[in-house]
Amino acid sequence: MDKFVVHKSSLKGEFVVSGAKNASLPIMAATLLTDDECILHNIPDVSDVRTMVRILENLGKVVQWTPGTMRIRSRRLRNYVAPYRLVRTMRASFCVLGPLLAKRKKAKVSLPGGCVIGSRPVDLHLKGLSQLGAELIVENGYCVGSAAGLAGTHIFLGGHFGSSVLGTANVLMAATLAAGETLIEYSACEPEIVDLGVFLKKMGADITGEGTPLIRVNGKRQLHGAEHTVISDRIEAGTLIAASLATRSALTIKNIYPLHITSVLECARRMGAVLRLKRNSLSIKPPRRLHPVNITTLPFPGFPTDLQAQFMVALCLADGVSLITEKIFPDRFMHVAELQRMGARISRSGPYAIIEGTRSMYGAEVMASDLRASAALVIAGMVAHGDTEILRIYHLDRGYGRLEEKLKPLGAKIKREKQ
Ligand code: EPZ
């Protein structure tokens, strides 16, 4: 197991954002909808992608991955089981369920189990797929299903916390091969769903409305192979914006889609940053003193929950009191206790965190609890006086490809060591 040792750093220069993990995973799952070859570009080299490769290989796909390009072909083996040993390490594996039911008519996919960021049920996935005609039962920790013939219908996919990103992905993928028309109402509008829609259309699917709360799908008898370049990672971009604010470092962030991060840019502006956007590049100049702001996480185009922890670090150093309200995963606050150990002044009550800005934080030995919390601790380490040791950095590697190697040329003092 690796750990990071981080020293106070100030950053300068250009950072190029990688492909989006959360777009890549469902798109890789979508290749199960065809036996033809699919070619994907810009897939990030992160451990969650490697997990999805293992799941696809287990399901009979042959995956060739050279830097930049992934080719996915089919073998004769047509397994339909995604086992617990793979699924438990990554919840996104559950989005093979829809494509398996639609294409192979059978699926046995482990339920993902508990998650450190809070309760993450899959009831909406199951509801949508059942309404399409799949027969699903949950037994011995697995969702076991069959689908003699899926048929399009009108599905309301809203839940207690609004739309579901991977729930929408699962139902959308299954609907592409269902007979007739499917309407998915209260579908997630995230850019990753739009990118999945674009890929499915390249495979021959008939979809309209992706990126809106009402997606319409006209089912096809079969889909074919396709080639696609995955969008860039808005969460990696946002993480760099938070790092720039917290460390008060002027940066240029390249390979971004500004429309994917409008709420984040708005937040950075309210914190006092001066932003210059030029096509797919952002120059950010943080203020000397950060303004406190209130942030509420919401489904897209609202402020993403996946950037809550990173922005919390910047707010720890603002001139005043900020309030964060977590509306997607109300328990996603594991990083609070670790930041408190580094001198942050945060009090938490239910889905609220009140952050009282302080002038400085100090290094400590801290524990990464999940992917985005790890990124927050890296940022905290770069602003803290003294050494910060971040244990269990494998969480970070799930979604950021060798982040330390991308940050070092900017001046970050980060070392990866054996724990
Ligand atoms: C996706 O998870 C992302 N994962 C998460 O990113 C992200 O935090 C989340 O969307 C929200 O934006 C991937 O794309 C691989 P949801 P997902 O279903 O789809 C509730 C990261 O750090 N819900 O949109 O699993 C759920 O509990 C990860 O990269 C139900 O009630 O999230 C939550 O409150 C972490 N029933 C809300 O909906 C369901 O069946 C939104 O969750 C499904 C979800």
Side-chain angles (χ1 to χ4, degrees):
M1 224 188 287
D2 291 349
K3 68 175 179 184
F4 273 178
V5 181
V6 187
H7 303 277
K8 191 166 167 51
S9 319
S10 84
L11 310 175
K12 193 174 174 202
E14 282 182 9
F15 183 96
V16 181
V17 176
S18 304
K21 166 193 76 102
N22 288 349
S24 302
L25 298 172
I27 285 174
M28 289 169 69
T31 64
L32 290 163
L33 291 164
T34 180
D35 289 331
D36 294 350
E37 183 180 64
C38 292
I39 303 173
L40 304 176
H41 305 285
N42 206 28
I43 301 280
D45 188 0
V46 298
S47 68
D48 273 8
V49 165
R50 287 193 286 276
T51 302
M52 186 55 98
V53 168
R54 284 203 296 281
I55 288 172
L56 292 181
E57 286 172 344
N58 205 57
L59 290 168
K61 291 284 187 183
V62 178
V63 182
Q64 275 180 316
W65 191 13
T66 50
T69 300
M70 182 180 280
R71 288 173 183 272
I72 304 177
R73 288 182 289 113
S74 294
R75 273 192 290 145
R76 285 242 173 81
L77 169 71
R78 289 166 61 81
N79 183 17
Y80 57 90
V81 183
Y84 179 61
R85 77 185 149 80
L86 294 175
V87 176
R88 77 183 158 83
T89 62
M90 183 182 80
R91 295 183 59 85
S93 334
F94 200 67
C95 68
V96 299
L97 181 63
L100 283 178
L101 287 168
K103 178 72 178 161
R104 301 192 183 174
K105 313 290 179 210
K106 283 203 281 195
K108 183 174 175 187
V109 180
S110 169
L111 290 170
C115 180
V116 76
I117 68 176
S119 157
R120 293 182 72 184
V122 288
D123 56 309
L124 296 172
H125 302 234
L126 303 185
K127 172 186 162 186
L129 294 169
S130 302
Q131 282 185 245
L132 283 174
E135 288 186 16
L136 301 171
I137 53 164
V138 172
E139 61 180 17
N140 305 327
Y142 278 79
C143 174
V144 185
S146 61
L150 296 179
T153 184
H154 187 160
I155 300 166
F156 181 81
L157 214 54
H160 193 54
F161 292 94
S163 53
S164 163
V165 179
L166 291 176
T168 301
N170 241 333
V171 176
L172 172 61
M173 289 188 277
T176 59
L177 291 179
E181 183 182 78
T182 301
L183 285 177
I184 311 172
E185 199 179 338
Y186 217 143
S187 46
C189 302
E190 269 67 6
E192 293 76 17
I193 293 295
V194 177
D195 206 31
L196 173 65
V198 170
F199 177 62
L200 291 169
K201 287 200 268 194
K202 288 180 181 170
M203 295 175 80
D206 180 353
I207 301 170
T208 49
E210 70 277 19
T212 77
L214 184 65
I215 301 180
R216 192 182 295 267
V217 186
N218 270 307
K220 293 285 172 116
R221 285 176 71 83
Q222 60 178 27
L223 300 185
H224 50 74
E227 184 163 356
H228 183 67
T229 300
V230 166
I231 53 171
S232 75
D233 195 321
R234 64 192 170 104
I235 305 300
E236 191 183 42
T239 301
L240 260 290
I241 294 173
S244 154
L245 291 166
T247 60
R248 300 319 134 74
S249 304
L251 286 180
T252 300
I253 306 170
K254 296 206 151 176
N255 198 22
I256 59 155
Y257 298 162
L259 288 179
H260 292 178
I261 50 170
T262 311
S263 61
V264 181
L265 298 177
E266 184 58 28
C267 180
R269 275 193 201 99
R270 282 192 290 128
M271 290 177 75
V274 177
L275 308 180
R276 274 198 18 241
L277 280 165
K278 220 198 271 168
R279 286 199 185 175
N280 292 350
S281 150
L282 165 74
S283 297
I284 173 165
K285 188 165 178 280
R288 264 163 39 96
R289 311 278 275 269
L290 295 170
H291 309 168
V293 295
N294 295 342
I295 294 177
T296 301
T297 65
L298 287 168
F300 188 83
F303 190 93
T305 173
D306 290 348
L307 288 173
Q308 181 252 106
Q310 302 90 313
F311 270 73
M312 183 182 281
V313 177
L315 293 178
C316 286
L317 299 153
D319 257 5
V321 177
S322 306
L323 172 70
I324 289 184
T325 308
E326 175 54 69
K327 287 230 178 174
I328 309 287
F329 296 112
D331 290 324
R332 193 177 199 175
F333 283 118
M334 297 292 279
H335 43 282
V336 167
E338 302 306 300
L339 294 176
Q340 283 166 334
R341 298 186 60 247
M342 298 178 71
R345 294 199 211 133
I346 307 168
S347 46
R348 188 204 151 189
S349 170
Y352 305 105
I354 298 165
I355 302 127
E356 210 185 313
T358 167
R359 280 287 159 84
S360 60
M361 291 170 70
Y362 40 81
E365 217 176 336
V366 289
M367 187 81 82
S369 55
D370 73 82
L371 166 54
R372 308 303 170 186
S374 324
L377 294 176
V378 172
I379 298 172
M382 292 194 294
V383 295
H385 296 281
D387 289 0
T388 300
E389 281 197 19
I390 309 173
L391 309 179
R392 297 199 181 170
I393 211 67
Y394 62 86
H395 286 294
L396 186 88
D397 296 334
R398 290 186 54 182
Y400 296 87
R402 303 296 288 190
L403 185 64
E404 77 282 17
E405 283 173 17
K406 290 182 80 175
L407 289 176
K408 270 185 203 162
L410 303 182
K413 296 179 187 139
I414 306 180
K415 264 194 302 189
R416 183 183 286 263
E417 294 180 357
K418 287 281 163 234
Q419 194 169 309

